[in-house]
Amino acid sequence: MAALRDGDFAALQILLKLVSALHSLTRHVVYRGLTGAEDILRLFPENFHQNLKNLLTKIILENISSWRSEAQASQISLPRLVDMDWRVDIKTSSDSIVRMAVPTCLLQLKIQEDAALCGNNPVVSALTMELSKETLDTMLEGLGRIRDQLSAVANK
Protein backbone atom coordinates (compact mmCIF):
# COMPACT_ATOMS: atom_id res chain seq x y z
CA MET A 1 0.00 0.00 0.00
CA ALA A 2 1.45 3.35 -1.01
CA ALA A 3 2.01 6.03 1.58
CA LEU A 4 -0.19 9.11 1.52
CA ARG A 5 1.35 12.34 0.37
CA ASP A 6 0.88 15.44 2.50
CA GLY A 7 -1.64 16.88 0.05
CA ASP A 8 -3.67 13.66 0.03
CA PHE A 9 -3.65 13.49 3.83
CA ALA A 10 -4.85 17.09 4.09
CA ALA A 11 -7.61 16.39 1.55
CA LEU A 12 -8.72 13.33 3.55
CA GLN A 13 -8.85 15.38 6.73
CA ILE A 14 -11.05 17.98 5.01
CA LEU A 15 -13.28 15.21 3.63
CA LEU A 16 -13.59 13.67 7.10
CA LYS A 17 -14.65 17.03 8.55
CA LEU A 18 -17.21 17.43 5.75
CA VAL A 19 -18.71 13.98 6.32
CA SER A 20 -18.82 14.61 10.07
CA ALA A 21 -20.57 17.96 9.57
CA LEU A 22 -23.12 16.39 7.19
CA HIS A 23 -23.76 13.62 9.71
CA SER A 24 -24.33 16.17 12.46
CA LEU A 25 -26.65 18.18 10.22
CA THR A 26 -28.78 15.19 9.22
CA ARG A 27 -28.94 13.95 12.82
CA HIS A 28 -30.07 17.37 13.97
CA VAL A 29 -32.78 17.50 11.30
CA VAL A 30 -34.03 13.97 12.08
CA TYR A 31 -34.08 14.33 15.88
CA ARG A 32 -35.57 17.84 15.85
CA GLY A 33 -38.31 16.70 13.50
CA LEU A 34 -37.64 19.38 10.90
CA THR A 35 -39.75 18.71 7.82
CA GLY A 36 -39.80 21.99 5.93
CA ALA A 37 -37.19 23.35 3.55
CA GLU A 38 -37.28 26.72 5.34
CA ASP A 39 -36.45 25.08 8.68
CA ILE A 40 -33.47 23.27 7.20
CA LEU A 41 -32.22 26.26 5.22
CA ARG A 42 -32.10 28.30 8.45
CA LEU A 43 -29.49 25.90 9.84
CA PHE A 44 -26.87 26.96 7.28
CA PRO A 45 -24.65 30.02 7.81
CA GLU A 46 -25.55 33.13 5.77
CA ASN A 47 -22.36 32.99 3.72
CA PHE A 48 -22.91 29.32 2.70
CA HIS A 49 -22.99 28.67 -1.06
CA GLN A 50 -26.66 29.04 -2.10
CA ASN A 51 -26.76 26.24 -4.70
CA LEU A 52 -25.03 23.78 -2.36
CA LYS A 53 -27.39 24.77 0.47
CA ASN A 54 -30.42 24.13 -1.78
CA LEU A 55 -29.01 20.80 -3.02
CA LEU A 56 -28.28 19.53 0.50
CA THR A 57 -31.73 20.60 1.67
CA LYS A 58 -33.34 18.76 -1.24
CA ILE A 59 -31.36 15.58 -0.52
CA ILE A 60 -32.23 15.75 3.18
CA LEU A 61 -35.94 16.23 2.48
CA GLU A 62 -35.96 13.29 0.05
CA ASN A 63 -34.38 10.96 2.60
CA ILE A 64 -35.63 12.20 5.95
CA SER A 65 -38.57 9.79 6.29
CA SER A 66 -36.36 6.73 5.74
CA TRP A 67 -33.68 8.11 8.07
CA ARG A 68 -36.29 8.76 10.74
CA SER A 69 -37.69 5.22 10.34
CA GLU A 70 -34.21 3.74 10.63
CA ALA A 71 -33.48 5.81 13.73
CA GLN A 72 -36.73 4.72 15.37
CA ALA A 73 -36.16 1.08 14.45
CA SER A 74 -32.67 1.09 15.95
CA GLN A 75 -33.78 2.53 19.27
CA ILE A 76 -33.72 0.24 22.23
CA SER A 77 -37.04 0.47 23.97
CA LEU A 78 -38.30 -0.77 27.27
CA PRO A 79 -41.08 -3.30 27.59
CA ARG A 80 -44.55 -1.88 26.97
CA LEU A 81 -47.57 -2.28 29.25
CA VAL A 82 -50.28 -4.12 27.30
CA ASP A 83 -52.91 -4.77 29.97
CA MET A 84 -53.51 -4.46 33.67
CA ASP A 85 -55.89 -6.35 35.93
CA TRP A 86 -56.42 -6.20 39.66
CA ARG A 87 -58.55 -7.59 42.42
CA VAL A 88 -58.86 -7.22 46.17
CA ASP A 89 -58.45 -10.39 48.20
CA ILE A 90 -59.06 -10.99 51.86
CA LYS A 91 -57.04 -13.80 53.34
CA THR A 92 -59.19 -16.19 55.32
CA SER A 93 -56.40 -18.48 56.46
CA SER A 94 -52.81 -17.87 57.30
CA ASP A 95 -50.03 -19.21 59.47
CA SER A 96 -50.27 -15.98 61.46
CA ILE A 97 -53.37 -14.57 63.13
CA VAL A 98 -52.15 -11.05 62.39
CA ARG A 99 -52.31 -11.61 58.62
CA MET A 100 -55.82 -13.08 58.62
CA ALA A 101 -58.70 -10.96 57.27
CA VAL A 102 -56.26 -8.36 55.94
CA PRO A 103 -57.22 -7.09 52.48
CA THR A 104 -54.52 -7.12 49.82
CA CYS A 105 -54.47 -6.09 46.18
CA LEU A 106 -53.38 -8.58 43.56
CA LEU A 107 -52.09 -6.63 40.58
CA GLN A 108 -51.35 -8.34 37.26
CA LEU A 109 -49.44 -6.48 34.56
CA LYS A 110 -49.15 -7.87 31.04
CA ILE A 111 -45.93 -6.65 29.47
CA GLN A 112 -44.83 -6.92 25.84
CA GLU A 113 -41.14 -7.04 25.01
CA ASP A 114 -39.76 -4.84 22.24
CA ALA A 115 -40.54 -6.44 18.87
CA ALA A 116 -37.07 -5.57 17.55
CA LEU A 117 -35.51 -7.73 20.25
CA CYS A 118 -37.94 -10.66 19.85
CA GLY A 119 -38.36 -10.82 16.09
CA ASN A 120 -41.83 -10.85 14.56
CA ASN A 121 -43.43 -12.58 17.56
CA PRO A 122 -43.19 -10.20 20.52
CA VAL A 123 -43.36 -11.98 23.85
CA VAL A 124 -46.14 -10.99 26.26
CA SER A 125 -45.47 -11.94 29.85
CA ALA A 126 -47.57 -11.55 32.98
CA LEU A 127 -46.22 -10.11 36.20
CA THR A 128 -48.39 -10.62 39.28
CA MET A 129 -47.71 -8.95 42.61
CA GLU A 130 -49.46 -8.77 45.95
CA LEU A 131 -49.65 -5.32 47.52
CA SER A 132 -50.66 -4.38 51.03
CA LYS A 133 -52.65 -1.20 51.59
CA GLU A 134 -49.48 0.63 52.66
CA THR A 135 -47.50 -0.56 49.64
CA LEU A 136 -50.36 0.35 47.32
CA ASP A 137 -50.59 3.84 48.88
CA THR A 138 -46.84 4.34 48.36
CA MET A 139 -47.09 3.16 44.76
CA LEU A 140 -50.07 5.42 44.00
CA GLU A 141 -48.31 8.40 45.57
CA GLY A 142 -45.25 7.78 43.37
CA LEU A 143 -47.41 7.35 40.25
CA GLY A 144 -49.19 10.62 41.12
CA ARG A 145 -45.84 12.42 41.23
CA ILE A 146 -44.90 10.92 37.86
CA ARG A 147 -48.26 12.06 36.40
CA ASP A 148 -47.71 15.60 37.73
CA GLN A 149 -44.20 15.76 36.25
CA LEU A 150 -45.40 14.50 32.87
CA SER A 151 -48.22 17.06 32.89
CA ALA A 152 -45.79 19.85 33.76
CA VAL A 153 -43.46 18.85 30.91
CA ALA A 154 -46.33 18.48 28.41
CA ASN A 155 -47.66 21.97 29.26
CA LYS A 156 -44.31 23.69 28.57
Side-chain angles (χ1 to χ4, degrees):
M1 180 186 239
L4 287 176
R5 295 179 301 195
D6 287 340
D8 293 338
F9 184 72
L12 283 175
Q13 284 183 318
I14 291 171
L15 184 61
L16 182 61
K17 285 181 183 179
L18 174 65
V19 169
S20 177
L22 286 172
H23 177 69
S24 295
L25 173 66
T26 56
R27 248 183 105 175
H28 180 81
V29 170
V30 168
Y31 288 104
R32 296 288 179 201
L34 305 179
T35 56
E38 310 81 36
D39 297 331
I40 297 170
L41 288 170
R42 277 190 231 122
L43 298 174
F44 292 96
E46 286 184 28
N47 60 350
F48 201 86
H49 190 277
Q50 187 64 39
N51 290 341
L52 183 56
K53 185 182 350 181
N54 292 337
L55 177 63
L56 289 172
T57 300
K58 180 182 174 192
I59 292 170
I60 290 170
L61 287 173
E62 288 173 358
N63 292 289
I64 192 157
S65 62
S66 64
W67 292 339
R68 187 171 289 121
S69 297
E70 287 178 29
Q72 288 172 343
S74 67
Q75 286 181 334
I76 296 174
S77 66
L78 298 173
R80 189 173 59 88
L81 180 64
V82 175
D83 191 24
M84 180 186 83
D85 192 20
W86 60 273
R87 73 173 194 249
V88 175
D89 277 354
I90 297 179
K91 292 185 179 182
T92 56
S93 66
S94 175
D95 59 348
S96 170
I97 289 280
V98 177
R99 291 188 355 206
M100 283 185 66
V102 174
T104 60
C105 174
L106 288 176
L107 178 65
Q108 183 182 52
L109 304 174
K110 289 189 180 174
I111 300 169
Q112 180 179 7
E113 295 296 327
D114 183 18
L117 299 174
C118 304
N120 291 337
N121 299 324
V123 177
V124 176
S125 57
L127 173 69
T128 304
M129 59 187 103
E130 183 178 12
L131 304 169
S132 67
K133 182 184 180 320
E134 294 78 20
T135 307
L136 183 60
D137 287 341
T138 303
M139 183 177 170
L140 290 173
E141 183 180 314
L143 288 171
R145 280 193 226 129
I146 292 170
R147 180 198 59 226
D148 295 345
Q149 287 180 8
L150 288 173
S151 295
V153 169
N155 292 334
K156 286 187 178 180

